[in-house]
């Protein structure tokens, strides 16, 4: 079959669900992934033909896309902060907002990381690492930092470890539940961090109707949802953890629920963090929160 014909079928079947542009990008992602044929080659060689088994692969992908399965899970890979990441249903698909968080941390820590001495590198911890996208892109871009990443899901950690290998970085992974101190207190006993970051679950059950079906039906609820009556549970726990485990002047960086910006910020105010900033994402929503641990905590 000629690839162009297949592209016409993709549009016919999927445009009503996704719109023409997105279907084009799906199609090109598939040609790159399954055939190693870049987009430009299709324009240059409109008569490019593919074999029967290849055609079948495309039809299978088309079926999944019709059922609104995310293309990243279908291909088993995605890109985050310019780096390749393996993904499956055990981890969230990395979001562009999270790239902004990573970018902020890298910009603010490059100096600190460079000036730290070789035998005393800056230490960074990512809590609830999932695919490892935050920890790994930090490790890649702050090569002198020592990076740690925690998750309670064994399946997620397996993916995160593969991703660290794929990106040729060293990350110290810990299987633990941040809400359950007995699972991590020994591991962190003698550790203190310069930077702690987290993109924990923050979507309230009451916000479920805003979440699109392709997210709701495919992505891990464990990584997304929190109870309506205690939506900041992870932020409270991690802030308390940071009071103990951040060095004085250490930085805390959160991705947050856009509707709970002020409440989340108040947690850092109450914990006497300094230089607190609530920052917006590319869509203009409150999405990032940062604070600096005070040199001295007043009682
Ligand atoms: N930003 C994610 C979403 O839009 C939620 C991520 C999270 O809960 N940490 O679904």
């Amino acid at each position: 079959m000629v690839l162009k014909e297949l592209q016409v079928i993709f549009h016919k079947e999927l445009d009503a669900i996704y719109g023409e542009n997105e279907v084009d990008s799906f199609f090109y992602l598939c040609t790159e992934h399954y055939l190693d044929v870049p987009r430009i080659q299709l324009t240059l060689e409109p008569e490019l033909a593919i074999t029967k088994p290849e055609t079948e692969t495309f039809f299978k992908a088309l079926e999944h896309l019709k059922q609104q399965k995310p293309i990243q899970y279908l291909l088993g890979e995605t890109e985050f902060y310019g780096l390749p990441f393996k993904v499956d249903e055990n981890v969230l698909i990395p979001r562009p907002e999270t790239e902004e968080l990573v970018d902020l941390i890298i910009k603010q820590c490059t100096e600190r990381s460079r000036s730290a001495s070789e035998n005393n590198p800056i230490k960074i911890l990512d809590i609830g690492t999932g695919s490892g996208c935050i920890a790994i892109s930090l490790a890649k871009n702050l090569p002198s930092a020592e990076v740690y990443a925690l998750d309670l899901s064994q399946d997620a950690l397996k993916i995160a470890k593969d991703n660290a290998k794929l990106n040729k970085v060293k990350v110290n992974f810990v299987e633990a539940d941040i809400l359950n101190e007995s699972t991590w207190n020994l591991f962190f006993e003698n550790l203190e961090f310069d930077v702690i970051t987290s993109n924990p679950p923050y979507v309230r059950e009451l916000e479920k109707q805003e979440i699109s079906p392709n997210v709701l039906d495919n992505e891990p609820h464990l990584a997304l949802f929190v109870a309506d009556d205690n939506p900041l549970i992870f932020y409270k726990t991690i802030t308390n953890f940071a009071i103990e485990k951040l060095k004085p002047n250490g930085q805390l960086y959160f991705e947050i629920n856009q509707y709970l910006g002020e409440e989340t910020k108040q947690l850092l105010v109450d914990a006497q963090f300094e230089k607190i900033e609530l920052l917006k994402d590319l869509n203009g929503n409150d999405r990032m929160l940062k604070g600096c641990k005070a040199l001295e905590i007043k009682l």
Side-chain angles (χ1 to χ4, degrees):
M1 188 173 211
V2 174
L3 257 181
K4 278 278 169 200
E5 292 169 349
L6 205 50
Q7 191 172 16
V8 172
I9 298 173
F10 263 56
H11 279 297
K12 198 169 135 253
E13 300 279 335
L14 299 174
D15 279 8
I17 313 174
Y18 297 103
E20 207 180 320
N21 287 344
E22 195 155 359
V23 174
D24 261 332
S25 96
F26 287 168
F27 189 74
Y28 294 126
L29 282 170
C30 287
T31 60
E32 276 171 19
H33 182 83
Y34 295 127
L35 308 171
D36 210 13
V37 168
R39 184 181 184 135
I40 180 78
Q41 201 173 334
L42 265 165
T43 320
L44 299 175
E45 269 185 84
E47 292 306 307
L48 197 68
I50 57 171
T51 64
K52 197 153 178 266
E54 286 168 342
T55 310
E56 277 163 17
T57 307
F58 270 78
F59 276 112
K60 236 187 248 157
L62 178 63
E63 267 325 296
H64 285 298
L65 288 168
K66 265 205 232 168
Q67 292 156 17
Q68 306 226 21
K69 187 168 165 131
I71 185 119
Q72 295 89 338
Y73 288 153
L74 205 58
L75 305 180
E77 65 183 21
T78 188
E79 204 186 275
F80 179 85
Y81 209 75
L83 300 170
F85 282 87
K86 198 177 138 176
V87 288
D88 72 9
E89 283 81 354
N90 294 300
V91 300
L92 280 189
I93 296 165
R95 308 286 204 266
E97 302 88 284
T98 311
E99 291 182 310
E100 291 187 81
L101 177 77
V102 164
D103 197 54
L104 177 73
I105 302 174
I106 291 171
K107 289 209 172 100
Q108 298 193 342
C109 292
T110 301
E111 226 5 81
R112 209 172 167 143
S113 160
R114 234 187 255 134
S115 53
S117 65
E118 210 168 283
N119 43 14
N120 190 18
I122 73 159
K123 290 194 176 66
I124 300 179
L125 170 65
D126 173 29
I127 298 175
T129 199
S131 63
C133 65
I134 297 178
I136 291 164
S137 29
L138 292 178
K140 193 81 188 170
N141 289 280
L142 300 168
S144 57
E146 194 171 292
V147 180
Y148 293 74
L150 173 150
D151 208 285
L152 85 167
S153 157
Q154 224 171 32
D155 294 326
L157 281 175
K158 218 192 277 161
I159 297 279
K161 284 177 187 168
D162 284 351
N163 281 327
K165 234 183 253 155
L166 181 65
N167 285 291
K168 301 187 178 64
V169 292
K170 180 171 187 286
V171 174
N172 304 285
F173 290 103
V174 197
E175 185 187 333
D177 176 3
I178 193 66
L179 301 180
N180 181 355
E181 187 169 342
S182 67
T183 62
W184 50 255
N185 57 359
L186 276 180
F187 185 88
F188 290 120
E189 204 172 10
N190 296 312
L191 279 171
E192 269 193 328
F193 296 93
D194 297 87
V195 174
I196 294 178
T197 183
S198 184
N199 172 20
Y202 59 66
V203 182
R204 287 169 293 181
E205 294 286 333
L206 62 87
E207 291 160 28
K208 251 188 186 162
Q209 78 263 21
E210 285 180 33
I211 304 283
S212 64
N214 60 338
V215 173
L216 211 53
D217 297 342
N218 293 285
E219 300 205 52
H221 288 200
L222 183 68
L224 284 171
F225 293 107
V226 283
D228 292 340
D229 60 0
N230 196 5
L232 299 183
I233 179 165
F234 287 98
Y235 297 91
K236 288 179 198 157
T237 306
I238 294 168
T239 302
N240 286 332
F241 178 88
I243 293 171
E244 293 285 314
K245 295 292 177 190
L246 265 183
K247 295 179 191 168
N249 252 339
Q251 311 279 340
L252 179 58
Y253 292 90
F254 281 131
E255 181 175 320
I256 62 159
N257 181 322
Q258 66 193 82
Y259 304 116
L260 300 170
E262 287 305 324
E263 293 90 322
T264 318
K265 182 178 169 185
Q266 191 59 41
L267 291 176
L268 296 197
V269 173
D270 294 344
Q272 298 180 37
F273 275 73
E274 293 171 348
K275 300 182 196 140
I276 300 169
E277 282 181 73
L278 184 57
L279 300 158
K280 293 191 193 303
D281 64 16
L282 48 139
N283 298 314
N285 296 316
D286 285 340
R287 188 66 65 201
M288 288 157 280
L289 179 67
K290 65 156 287 208
C292 177
K293 184 176 159 181
L295 281 174
E296 243 178 274
I297 309 265
K298 295 174 213 77
L299 295 174

